[in-house]
Amino acid sequence: MEMNMKNTFRTVLAFIFTGMISVSCWDDAMEVGLEELGTKKDEYVLGVKNGVLEMDYYSNLKGTINFTDDVEWARLSSTVFEGDGKLLVEYDYNSHFPRMAKIAFTSEDLSRKDTICIKQEGEIIPTIQFKNNNVVIYNSKDGNIERTAVNMKTNIDMEDCTVSVKYTGLKDDETPVEWVKSTSYAHGLFFIETENNTIENLRNAIVSISFTDGWEKKQTEQIFLTQATASNKLGIRADFDEVRSYVNAGEVATINDNVFIEGYIISDQEGGNVAENPMTTNTAIDYSRTERCSYIESLDGQYGFMLEAVSSDDNNLKANTKVQILLKGTSIENQLNPSRYVIKGITSPMIIQSEKISESIIPVKAKHMNELEEKDLYTLVTLKDCEFPIRKGSLTPINEGYANSAMTNRINMFPTLIRDINGNSMYLLTNTTCKYRRDGSRIGYGKGDVTGVIVHEKYRRFIDGDSAEESECGTIGKYQIRHQKKADLAFANDFKDSFSGLITEYRFLQKKAAGTWGPTYGDNGSFRHTYVDEENPNTMMTTGNTDFCYLGPIGNNERGPFGLNKGNINGFGIILEDGTNWGLDFTNVNNDGKGNSNSNNNLAFTNGNWWNESLDRPYAWIVNFSTKGYHTDHLSMQIAVMNYSRRVPSNWVIEWSTDGNMAPEADDAWEKIAEYYVPDVVNWNPTQQWQSAGYKPMDFELPLEMLGHENVYIRIMPKNKICSSDTGLGDGQMRTDGNAWNAISYFAIRYNK
């Protein structure tokens, strides 16, 4: 019986019995033979340059050491062993492809054998690459064999490759016609010889070229062939607006006409942020959707479709390509509120032409947020004159313990707040599969532009219960934008280069006086809570709370998509007025790779008292500041919130006044600004889709009547006692024991300079 034990010895514990053994034999002493043979590792990887590998082996046997095959590029220091020892393997410089050799340790009696693999990297990487993977084959005019040439880049001898042909698009009982007769390669061209099509249907085939390298790793490059009909037709080109007319509003239609569309692929699967990866259950995510989906824009940039392929293998659409796609057999869906179009059922043979182009050729609309129209959906747009108003955190400031970086599947994306110079705001969507979402870099806090694909998607974690239909819950605006690469976020780094200025801002707790906290930018105003401990009236009732704004990198598992990254390297993106990167010296941050701070960092304000039972009215957050001397055409407020426990009010109201009188009889003096919904924090078991792993950021345009006052007061308080339990939305009983924790991680008052 052989037992493989990695990082220890390879041991064999052999019990040899002859004849019949009765149960009573176990009382007698038995002689056990322990045989030992092996190394600490099964595999060693060597660099390109020549060198010597030292390999410790362990054995209590005698035997031989040999390469399993003839090897000219490496030599062994010994061919025999007698017990433990060290083997030296001298190897040469590798100027060619990666290569591999196997070394066998064989016991003298041939009863034990252990094989070690040595892989050496090569100076040359084997390459097979076609300039165009989608090729249209036309019939020859004379009826003879048609020869089509495809540009091919390779450094591999074709004799070492395997070429195969698979005919696709056939009915289940249809016998394929072998119309691809032969293939060959010469001088950078791959030739495909085909016989003519004699029927009025398109024919499809996939030509695969495979090569197995020296590491026994197989790579395959494919060409997707579409052969024209007998009359040499592929179909009729349809404009995007014509295809939109195939389906009625809110309905789904099958496309039966032999038509194709031509456009630019504006999505990039490499970034991992194409389309939402939907939650299939509370603890499962369909990560394949971002691999299956693409966005295509019309050649004039006016319209766009979202394309959904049958599988990720069928999605052969690359960023910055001009393509032609057959639509016969697909379905088109017109989704409403707002109106947008999704084409489903794309397969690889439907991509009849794909041409790599310069990114500069693709039309990009430049608009402010208030200029967006429904026809902009699924097209490439640059949103002008924007800013990130929450001046802390990464693109996805979430508790990574619920995300793929910790190898869990409970959070699929996060909406980041952006606003523009006209006082409008919307959300920038980032999937947890986005490769650069939390790489340690800070988003710029100055003025900039956001380029991406305009979409409409729901997000129940930020707002729920807004529709009777569960699938329609979570409306976070008419439009959102999905960046496709990191360069799409083109912002000035310094806040001084923004179009807005700050009247007051709170990014962490900074004591000012008894019972109040001071701003973290400037010295205008104070922040407090209306609950007062009557026995200790000077006690700071508001305390610090955990935030998830560590910049990264994150990840708590080497096998996860972001690896293992623990500790505080880059801080929270909080740059003070003197240029200090605040919090870099905090040690209790990201200790588990989940991007979280400790409550001792005081990154968020929290209070557990929200209802005065004796007066039957809520307590409130109060922010006081002066607007004296400020003149602007846009005044706004930004806030990021979360209920940090269950049974905390979900519905809140924002009001303002100039005297701050909290007496019940003074309520009429407070003017309403807005109402908003506060999500509950996620809970490991159970995790609900209406709970959030990150603070909800919001932007509110403020009335200009608030300007010119020595004192302005903002009152933020529960609208009612409606709250949620662990398992039900809006079915909880509000806590009144001081443990209903509502938290604010960011608050600011802004004005346009």
Side-chain angles (χ1 to χ4, degrees), residues 409-554:
N409 308 295
R410 297 168 183 251
I411 299 294
N412 61 346
M413 70 174 179
F414 187 82
T416 305
L417 182 68
I418 54 175
R419 67 182 296 269
D420 72 4
I421 198 168
N422 296 319
N424 298 294
S425 64
M426 59 189 288
Y427 287 106
L428 175 83
L429 302 183
T430 306
N431 288 344
T432 55
T433 49
C434 179
K435 297 178 181 178
Y436 51 86
R437 68 181 178 87
R438 208 163 181 178
D439 59 5
S441 59
R442 178 174 68 82
I443 52 181
Y445 293 141
K447 175 183 173 181
D449 297 333
V450 181
T451 300
V453 179
I454 301 299
V455 298
H456 174 82
E457 296 177 20
K458 309 291 187 182
Y459 196 67
R460 291 181 61 192
R461 301 189 190 282
F462 275 5
I463 176 69
D464 213 330
D466 57 324
S467 173
E469 295 293 330
E470 185 174 289
S471 61
E472 291 299 312
C473 289
T475 301
I476 56 172
K478 186 174 183 179
Y479 304 112
Q480 297 83 43
I481 186 168
R482 280 191 172 274
H483 50 98
Q484 296 300 294
K485 56 185 181 302
K486 193 172 182 180
D488 287 343
L489 310 176
F491 288 83
N493 189 55
D494 200 323
F495 177 63
K496 295 177 182 178
D497 297 323
S498 182
F499 55 81
S500 71
L502 285 165
I503 293 178
T504 190
E505 181 185 44
Y506 296 83
R507 291 181 283 180
F508 53 90
L509 277 66
Q510 182 167 273
K511 190 171 182 178
K512 182 171 185 178
T516 66
W517 300 95
T520 54
Y521 179 91
D523 58 2
N524 186 353
S526 63
F527 188 106
R528 69 182 179 89
H529 191 269
T530 58
Y531 175 78
V532 176
D533 185 340
E534 295 180 359
E535 296 182 1
N536 302 287
N538 293 327
T539 300
M540 304 288 283
M541 294 309 301
T542 301
T543 60
N545 199 60
T546 302
D547 197 356
F548 316 114
C549 57
Y550 174 64
L551 294 180
I554 41 82

Side-chain angles (χ1 to χ4, degrees), residues 681-701:
V681 69
V682 284
N683 189 42
W684 180 252
N685 190 19
T687 298
Q688 305 293 344
Q689 292 191 44
W690 40 265
Q691 296 167 349
S692 178
Y695 287 84
K696 175 184 176 180
M698 295 172 289
D699 175 80
F700 300 98
E701 190 80 349

Side-chain angles (χ1 to χ4, degrees), residues 133-144:
N133 292 85
N134 300 87
V135 177
V136 174
I137 303 290
Y138 289 97
N139 302 309
S140 64
K141 294 180 180 179
D142 56 9
N144 295 323

Side-chain angles (χ1 to χ4, degrees), residues 197-248:
N197 192 355
T198 59
I199 60 176
E200 286 302 319
N201 287 326
L202 298 173
R203 296 198 294 199
N204 300 104
I206 302 174
V207 178
S208 301
I209 303 177
S210 301
F211 171 72
T212 302
D213 65 18
W215 289 13
E216 298 180 352
K217 181 179 180 181
K218 184 178 180 180
Q219 61 171 302
T220 301
E221 183 76 352
Q222 294 180 321
I223 304 176
F224 300 90
L225 303 180
T226 299
Q227 187 180 39
T229 65
S231 56
N232 256 351
K233 294 180 179 179
L234 292 174
I236 301 172
R237 175 179 163 177
D239 293 331
F240 277 46
D241 54 350
E242 179 184 347
V243 175
R244 286 157 57 106
S245 69
Y246 290 170
V247 59
N248 295 325

Side-chain angles (χ1 to χ4, degrees), residues 482-678:
R482 280 191 172 274
H483 50 98
Q484 296 300 294
K485 56 185 181 302
K486 193 172 182 180
D488 287 343
L489 310 176
F491 288 83
N493 189 55
D494 200 323
F495 177 63
K496 295 177 182 178
D497 297 323
S498 182
F499 55 81
S500 71
L502 285 165
I503 293 178
T504 190
E505 181 185 44
Y506 296 83
R507 291 181 283 180
F508 53 90
L509 277 66
Q510 182 167 273
K511 190 171 182 178
K512 182 171 185 178
T516 66
W517 300 95
T520 54
Y521 179 91
D523 58 2
N524 186 353
S526 63
F527 188 106
R528 69 182 179 89
H529 191 269
T530 58
Y531 175 78
V532 176
D533 185 340
E534 295 180 359
E535 296 182 1
N536 302 287
N538 293 327
T539 300
M540 304 288 283
M541 294 309 301
T542 301
T543 60
N545 199 60
T546 302
D547 197 356
F548 316 114
C549 57
Y550 174 64
L551 294 180
I554 41 82
N556 71 346
N557 195 304
E558 291 178 347
R559 295 181 293 112
F562 301 98
L564 177 63
N565 299 286
K566 294 184 179 181
N568 180 12
I569 301 173
N570 296 304
F572 315 107
I574 298 176
I575 309 300
L576 303 183
E577 292 170 82
D578 62 2
T580 299
N581 192 340
W582 185 82
L584 276 181
D585 57 342
F586 288 178
T587 58
N588 52 349
V589 173
N590 196 46
N591 289 338
D592 53 7
K594 298 177 182 178
N596 304 337
S597 69
N598 187 285
S599 58
N600 294 328
N601 298 144
N602 293 328
L603 284 168
F605 300 80
T606 188
N607 200 292
N609 299 280
W610 289 107
W611 207 266
N612 187 324
E613 289 295 313
S614 62
L615 297 177
D616 193 27
R617 59 187 283 106
Y619 292 110
W621 298 111
I622 299 291
V623 184
N624 167 234
F625 52 91
S626 172
T627 58
K628 200 78 170 177
Y630 288 97
H631 303 279
T632 185
D633 57 348
H634 286 287
L635 188 68
S636 63
M637 165 184 156
Q638 292 78 40
I639 186 172
V641 298
M642 176 190 292
N643 285 334
Y644 218 80
S645 62
R646 301 299 175 272
R647 296 165 54 192
V648 187
S650 301
N651 305 299
W652 293 62
V653 62
I654 309 171
E655 300 171 326
W656 76 281
S657 78
T658 56
D659 62 15
N661 189 342
M662 285 296 295
E665 58 270 18
D667 282 350
D668 291 342
W670 291 83
E671 296 187 38
K672 182 178 174 181
I673 296 172
E675 296 181 8
Y676 65 88
Y677 173 89
V678 182

Side-chain angles (χ1 to χ4, degrees), residues 76-96:
L76 305 177
S77 63
S78 176
T79 58
V80 297
F81 63 87
E82 296 183 13
D84 297 348
K86 184 186 295 290
L87 177 68
L88 303 181
V89 183
E90 181 185 8
Y91 54 92
D92 299 334
Y93 181 87
N94 187 7
S95 60
H96 200 54

